[in-house]
Amino acid sequence: MAGPRVVIIGAGVVGAALADEISARGWTEVTVVDQGPLPATGGSSSHAPGLVFQTNPSKTMTELARYTVEKFCSLDVDGKPCFLQVGGLEVATTPERLAELHRRHGWITAWGIEARLLTPDECVEQHPLVNRDRVLGGLLVPTDGLAKAVLAVEAQIRRATERGVAFLPRHEVLDVLQADGRVTGVRTDQGDLAADIVVCCAGIWGPRIARMVGMNLPLTPLGHQLAWTGPVPALAGQTEEAVRPILRHQDADLYYRDRFDGIGIGYYGHRPMPISADDILSVDEADQMPSVLKFTEEDFEDAWTETQSLLPATREAKVEEGINGLFSFTTDGYPLLGESPDVKGFWVAEAVWVTHSAGVGRAVAEWLVDGHCSTFDLHECDVNRFEPHQLAPEYVLARDCQNFVEVYDILHPLQPSGKPRPIRTSPFHARQQEHGAFFLEANGWERPQWYEANAGLVEGRSIPTPNDWAARYWSPIVGAEAQVTRETVAMYDMTALKRLEVSGPGAADFLEGLVTGKVAKSVGSVTYTLLLDHDGGIRSDITVARLARDLFQVGANGNLDLDWFARRLPAWGHRPAVAGGGTVQVRDITPGTCCIGLWGPLAREVLQPLTDEDFSNDGLKYFRAKRAYIGSVPVTAMRLSYVGELGWELYTTADQGAKLWDTLWQAVEPLGGIVAGRGAFNSLRLEKGYRSFGTDMTYEHDPYEAGVGFAVKLDKGDFVGKAALERRKGEVRRRLSCLTIDDPRAVVMGKEPVYDGERAVGYVTSAAYGYTVGKGIAYAWLPAELAVPGTAVQIGYFDERVEAVVAEEPLFDPAMSRLRG
């Protein structure tokens, strides 16, 4: 036996995959428990229809699905295959859906999977039951297909068992045992099992298990209709289970699969049917299985009518059986993976569908064994990504149900979230409403995208209108706000950005061991630096301001940064800790503070008359901070600018935010300045070449690839990821590159494929129109040999190819004269 003692709760498709993957890496002191029989345990895996469509706007989710397909294709049980690779076909019955299929083709191509767009005739060739008169086109992914979930569970159980993993069916988990802040075992109705690590793979029961360690999982089981027809005369004599591609008719929230001479029909168009994990029947109480609820025929009527229209051959058949099957939904549509923030050794791998199951098994196994996941970028999936309000029961239920309703909807990248809203408002909210703010949401914050009060600024300016898709949630006011920022001065609400406070006598040493730059500098210093994982991948980019000898303010990217710091405190957990004889404390100060970015060539003319402090170039240099009074408001002023203009980030407490806004606005308005929104901000930051973590660079990228190697100081002491960086520095094979687009209407949105001739070579990350430089801007990952200024490439945008060229960066003020003046 090798490795720590691991207990996996749940032997469905995720638990079985994890047991297989973790034992293959040498950890074999593993026990898997499930309340049900094996291999059909009674959870979602046992009734899942098995359709695996790999296309997803998330690169990570596509890669998890691709690995699942590859692994399942290699598995069988006594000669019976675990995957039927019949392909996946999505059809469009409206012009809007046809355009969406072109966008989806762009995603799957960008992520490196073969796919092709089909004409209506080609759709019928692939799936002869489809009504030619209904379809306008289709998208075919040949490697998609049907996962035989129960067989895949059995195959992976067999492999893990051969390596020494124990599987215990009919063991109901009653409690997760813990002592001194870490797990010690699992209590079942058949006795206790000692454990160093417990992984919850309980699926729809996940919230109930997680509560045993005080963990709140934002997961809701929802009923989803699945029906089976009787024999379809047109399929008479079909002896193979599936010969046609799995089929999606997303315009009507429907999908289809073969089952010999009948058809399976899945439907998302009905009302949400949530159920509490506590109300799910036990294995012995359920008539069929716990994850199967009674079929509600009235909810299926529209689905059957539409099915008979799209697949006319079904008019000669009947729906003979059906279920309302329970599946897990989350507030943002992504899985819940990772370790509890409070109880060491308790991990979750939850809200994972069959499509991504083997990939998740591999990801979590790597994470556990190696301390990080090297195959997949998991920042979207980390269970610790949520802000506190995102764990509120009301929020979780509302957003989970919304995600069920929208599962097949055409969603714009900027489309606002639904209820509940508003949740978080800055102290400036009332003032912003007075200026006619158009709000979008960021981590629950209401954040202005532009202000209708600036509509008069559009007249006389050259502000091109983008294409129809890019023009959604856009206004020409965005362009005017961007230009005025460069001409005079603008106020930006930066409150939504995460702010952490690191304090105590050990704070400097603590930070030095985690970041790539030198932050233990003079009081008033501000440093742009990186957090890395052990393999050198970028965990986050942050700013660290030293406000006193033992006090630092960190400008972070989200709750994962707080979690990263907290876990590395000398005494693990979200609490004060003793480090080298001194206390180190990490605290989220975002809710009690606010921030205004005051930027533009006239920023000093606004600020200096309002304060007795010296805000001249010598009085506060670029990337320095100091405390001051702006009027009667105490602020922490940092001379930073993510729009590439002279100015400051001005922080104060939330109770004085409105006063700060009014004080500044009274000085800004007479100089022709404005308040400006996120649309302008994004355009300006791309002109300046500033990266956005989570979009432009993620865990899978290192600093040298991402163009932020300047933030790495290898001549300092040791820090997390340093050894890996020293190995990777000379192996840059891809680069984040700036592309410019001359066509003013061809504003791309991100995630589109980039082509060198007919070969897809990369993908777009961030994009916007540059209202100062007069060009479209798209940052994209390209092979190093193509990331050369002057190289011509094309961007796949819906059904078009947009001409672009690699450019020197930054596009605006490369000498930094405006920032440093």
mmCIF file of all heavy atoms in Angstrom, residues 217-234:
data_model
loop_
_atom_site.group_PDB
_atom_site.id
_atom_site.type_symbol
_atom_site.label_atom_id
_atom_site.label_comp_id
_atom_site.label_asym_id
_atom_site.label_seq_id
_atom_site.Cartn_x
_atom_site.Cartn_y
_atom_site.Cartn_z
ATOM 1 N N LEU A 217 -22.125 24.060 -0.130
ATOM 2 C CA LEU A 217 -21.938 23.862 -1.569
ATOM 3 C C LEU A 217 -23.058 24.544 -2.342
ATOM 4 O O LEU A 217 -24.234 24.253 -2.107
ATOM 5 C CB LEU A 217 -21.945 22.372 -1.928
ATOM 6 C CG LEU A 217 -20.722 21.534 -1.634
ATOM 7 C CD1 LEU A 217 -20.907 20.147 -2.226
ATOM 8 C CD2 LEU A 217 -19.454 22.164 -2.183
ATOM 9 N N PRO A 218 -22.719 25.435 -3.282
ATOM 10 C CA PRO A 218 -23.761 26.093 -4.082
ATOM 11 C C PRO A 218 -24.248 25.194 -5.219
ATOM 12 O O PRO A 218 -24.012 25.449 -6.395
ATOM 13 C CB PRO A 218 -23.036 27.336 -4.605
ATOM 14 C CG PRO A 218 -21.607 26.927 -4.706
ATOM 15 C CD PRO A 218 -21.375 25.960 -3.589
ATOM 16 N N LEU A 219 -24.943 24.142 -4.850
ATOM 17 C CA LEU A 219 -25.383 23.099 -5.780
ATOM 18 C C LEU A 219 -26.846 22.787 -5.511
ATOM 19 O O LEU A 219 -27.249 22.664 -4.351
ATOM 20 C CB LEU A 219 -24.513 21.850 -5.593
ATOM 21 C CG LEU A 219 -24.760 20.598 -6.430
ATOM 22 C CD1 LEU A 219 -23.492 19.727 -6.397
ATOM 23 C CD2 LEU A 219 -25.930 19.765 -5.939
ATOM 24 N N THR A 220 -27.612 22.656 -6.581
ATOM 25 C CA THR A 220 -29.019 22.282 -6.461
ATOM 26 C C THR A 220 -29.321 21.106 -7.386
ATOM 27 O O THR A 220 -29.052 21.187 -8.598
ATOM 28 C CB THR A 220 -29.945 23.454 -6.845
ATOM 29 O OG1 THR A 220 -29.643 24.590 -6.036
ATOM 30 C CG2 THR A 220 -31.405 23.067 -6.658
ATOM 31 N N PRO A 221 -29.863 20.008 -6.874
ATOM 32 C CA PRO A 221 -30.361 18.953 -7.763
ATOM 33 C C PRO A 221 -31.655 19.423 -8.430
ATOM 34 O O PRO A 221 -32.563 19.922 -7.749
ATOM 35 C CB PRO A 221 -30.617 17.783 -6.814
ATOM 36 C CG PRO A 221 -29.932 18.137 -5.518
ATOM 37 C CD PRO A 221 -29.957 19.633 -5.446
ATOM 38 N N LEU A 222 -31.721 19.290 -9.733
ATOM 39 C CA LEU A 222 -32.938 19.653 -10.479
ATOM 40 C C LEU A 222 -33.379 18.496 -11.353
ATOM 41 O O LEU A 222 -32.546 17.792 -11.954
ATOM 42 C CB LEU A 222 -32.700 20.885 -11.358
ATOM 43 C CG LEU A 222 -32.717 22.221 -10.617
ATOM 44 C CD1 LEU A 222 -31.350 22.851 -10.609
ATOM 45 C CD2 LEU A 222 -33.721 23.166 -11.260
ATOM 46 N N GLY A 223 -34.699 18.308 -11.422
ATOM 47 C CA GLY A 223 -35.258 17.286 -12.278
ATOM 48 C C GLY A 223 -35.176 17.693 -13.735
ATOM 49 O O GLY A 223 -35.412 18.841 -14.099
ATOM 50 N N HIS A 224 -34.816 16.726 -14.574
ATOM 51 C CA HIS A 224 -34.653 16.948 -16.013
ATOM 52 C C HIS A 224 -35.348 15.805 -16.734
ATOM 53 O O HIS A 224 -35.133 14.631 -16.416
ATOM 54 C CB HIS A 224 -33.164 17.008 -16.348
ATOM 55 C CG HIS A 224 -32.839 16.722 -17.771
ATOM 56 N ND1 HIS A 224 -33.353 17.470 -18.811
ATOM 57 C CD2 HIS A 224 -32.029 15.789 -18.336
ATOM 58 C CE1 HIS A 224 -32.864 17.000 -19.955
ATOM 59 N NE2 HIS A 224 -32.081 15.983 -19.696
ATOM 60 N N GLN A 225 -36.185 16.146 -17.685
ATOM 61 C CA GLN A 225 -37.016 15.127 -18.320
ATOM 62 C C GLN A 225 -36.260 14.329 -19.383
ATOM 63 O O GLN A 225 -35.596 14.896 -20.263
ATOM 64 C CB GLN A 225 -38.242 15.774 -18.946
ATOM 65 C CG GLN A 225 -39.206 16.316 -17.890
ATOM 66 C CD GLN A 225 -40.611 16.445 -18.417
ATOM 67 O OE1 GLN A 225 -40.869 17.128 -19.391
ATOM 68 N NE2 GLN A 225 -41.546 15.773 -17.755
ATOM 69 N N LEU A 226 -36.385 13.027 -19.278
ATOM 70 C CA LEU A 226 -35.821 12.102 -20.257
ATOM 71 C C LEU A 226 -36.889 11.060 -20.576
ATOM 72 O O LEU A 226 -37.414 10.410 -19.670
ATOM 73 C CB LEU A 226 -34.568 11.426 -19.701
ATOM 74 C CG LEU A 226 -33.939 10.346 -20.572
ATOM 75 C CD1 LEU A 226 -33.406 10.948 -21.869
ATOM 76 C CD2 LEU A 226 -32.814 9.636 -19.817
ATOM 77 N N ALA A 227 -37.215 10.947 -21.857
ATOM 78 C CA ALA A 227 -38.261 10.009 -22.278
ATOM 79 C C ALA A 227 -37.711 9.072 -23.347
ATOM 80 O O ALA A 227 -36.742 9.390 -24.051
ATOM 81 C CB ALA A 227 -39.465 10.774 -22.827
ATOM 82 N N TRP A 228 -38.350 7.919 -23.464
ATOM 83 C CA TRP A 228 -37.961 6.925 -24.470
ATOM 84 C C TRP A 228 -39.198 6.553 -25.287
ATOM 85 O O TRP A 228 -40.255 6.272 -24.730
ATOM 86 C CB TRP A 228 -37.401 5.666 -23.812
ATOM 87 C CG TRP A 228 -36.201 5.918 -22.964
ATOM 88 C CD1 TRP A 228 -36.178 6.121 -21.613
ATOM 89 C CD2 TRP A 228 -34.849 6.025 -23.404
ATOM 90 N NE1 TRP A 228 -34.902 6.334 -21.185
ATOM 91 C CE2 TRP A 228 -34.051 6.279 -22.256
ATOM 92 C CE3 TRP A 228 -34.227 5.921 -24.656
ATOM 93 C CZ2 TRP A 228 -32.673 6.428 -22.319
ATOM 94 C CZ3 TRP A 228 -32.843 6.065 -24.717
ATOM 95 C CH2 TRP A 228 -32.084 6.324 -23.569
ATOM 96 N N THR A 229 -39.043 6.554 -26.578
ATOM 97 C CA THR A 229 -40.145 6.112 -27.435
ATOM 98 C C THR A 229 -40.146 4.595 -27.500
ATOM 99 O O THR A 229 -39.155 3.933 -27.186
ATOM 100 C CB THR A 229 -40.010 6.654 -28.864
ATOM 101 O OG1 THR A 229 -38.929 5.983 -29.528
ATOM 102 C CG2 THR A 229 -39.768 8.152 -28.868
ATOM 103 N N GLY A 230 -41.283 4.079 -27.928
ATOM 104 C CA GLY A 230 -41.322 2.684 -28.325
ATOM 105 C C GLY A 230 -40.714 2.547 -29.705
ATOM 106 O O GLY A 230 -40.062 3.475 -30.215
ATOM 107 N N PRO A 231 -40.908 1.419 -30.370
ATOM 108 C CA PRO A 231 -40.331 1.222 -31.697
ATOM 109 C C PRO A 231 -40.781 2.302 -32.685
ATOM 110 O O PRO A 231 -41.956 2.665 -32.738
ATOM 111 C CB PRO A 231 -40.860 -0.155 -32.108
ATOM 112 C CG PRO A 231 -41.134 -0.851 -30.812
ATOM 113 C CD PRO A 231 -41.612 0.220 -29.875
ATOM 114 N N VAL A 232 -39.814 2.817 -33.433
ATOM 115 C CA VAL A 232 -40.076 3.760 -34.517
ATOM 116 C C VAL A 232 -39.991 2.964 -35.821
ATOM 117 O O VAL A 232 -38.922 2.403 -36.125
ATOM 118 C CB VAL A 232 -39.049 4.913 -34.517
ATOM 119 C CG1 VAL A 232 -39.295 5.849 -35.688
ATOM 120 C CG2 VAL A 232 -39.099 5.668 -33.191
ATOM 121 N N PRO A 233 -41.088 2.842 -36.572
ATOM 122 C CA PRO A 233 -41.069 1.985 -37.760
ATOM 123 C C PRO A 233 -39.885 2.244 -38.689
ATOM 124 O O PRO A 233 -39.329 1.301 -39.265
ATOM 125 C CB PRO A 233 -42.401 2.312 -38.433
ATOM 126 C CG PRO A 233 -43.298 2.670 -37.286
ATOM 127 C CD PRO A 233 -42.418 3.412 -36.323
ATOM 128 N N ALA A 234 -39.485 3.499 -38.825
ATOM 129 C CA ALA A 234 -38.363 3.816 -39.714
ATOM 130 C C ALA A 234 -37.053 3.214 -39.235
ATOM 131 O O ALA A 234 -36.085 3.119 -40.008
ATOM 132 C CB ALA A 234 -38.219 5.336 -39.842
#
